[in-house]
């Protein structure tokens, strides 16, 4: 648990950790994955995820399965305790957020509310 963090850790499933590790190796650079939220969509908030090349001074850093997960302090209350998964369903694949804070999700699945 990061120093000073009072909430629940942000974690990854084995599948998500393997995907991030493989992608960073193929990319040839990167320190981990950055998770956050942005205001958008019909329910108010949407997840954002990107591969990170550096750790910002304000980032809260979690590490799970050898992968660093970086979260900006403003996003942390919304994704505190979230588990990041990577799933394949038919021809589609992508990250899935298992967030215990979610109270409602819009019909299109693009945004959520806590």
């Amino acid at each position: 648990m990061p120093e000073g963090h009072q909430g629940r850790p942000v974690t990854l499933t084995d599948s998500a950790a393997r995907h991030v590790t493989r992608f960073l190796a193929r990319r040839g650079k990167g320190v981990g994955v950055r998770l956050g939220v942005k205001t958008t969509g019909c329910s108010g908030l949407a997840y954002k995820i990107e591969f990170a090349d550096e750790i910002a001074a304000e980032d809260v850093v979690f590490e799970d399965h050898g992968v660093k997960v970086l979260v900006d302090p403003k996003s942390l209350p919304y994704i505190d305790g979230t588990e990041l998964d990577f799933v394949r369903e038919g021809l589609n694949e992508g990250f899935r957020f298992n967030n215990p804070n979610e109270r409602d999700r819009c019909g299109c699945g693009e945004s959520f509310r806590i």
Side-chain angles (χ1 to χ4, degrees):
M1 189 86 71
E3 192 174 308
H5 179 66
Q6 302 299 313
R8 297 162 292 185
V10 175
T11 59
L12 296 98
T13 63
D14 288 340
S15 176
R18 280 194 308 271
H19 179 74
V20 170
T21 301
R22 277 196 308 265
F23 188 86
L24 290 175
R26 262 198 314 266
R27 200 168 168 250
K29 64 178 181 173
V31 296
V33 64
R34 181 179 306 281
L35 300 183
V37 296
K38 59 185 176 182
T39 305
T40 188
C42 24
S43 289
L45 296 169
Y47 296 107
K48 58 182 182 177
I49 183 167
E50 62 188 10
F51 292 95
D53 290 334
E54 57 188 38
I55 299 171
E58 69 274 6
D59 283 336
V60 179
V61 182
F62 298 92
E63 189 161 340
D64 193 26
H65 293 76
V67 174
K68 285 185 175 52
V69 180
L70 317 175
V71 182
D72 70 88
K74 289 181 182 158
S75 294
L76 189 56
Y78 302 106
I79 59 176
D80 192 43
T82 294
E83 177 189 61
L84 181 63
D85 195 7
F86 187 79
V87 294
R88 287 190 172 90
E89 294 174 343
L91 298 175
N92 298 317
E93 65 179 23
F95 287 106
R96 179 178 292 159
F97 299 84
N98 300 318
N99 185 345
N101 304 301
E102 268 188 37
R103 297 291 170 254
D104 193 22
R105 185 177 279 246
C106 72
C108 63
E110 292 297 314
S111 61
F112 69 99
R113 181 172 39 233
I114 62 167

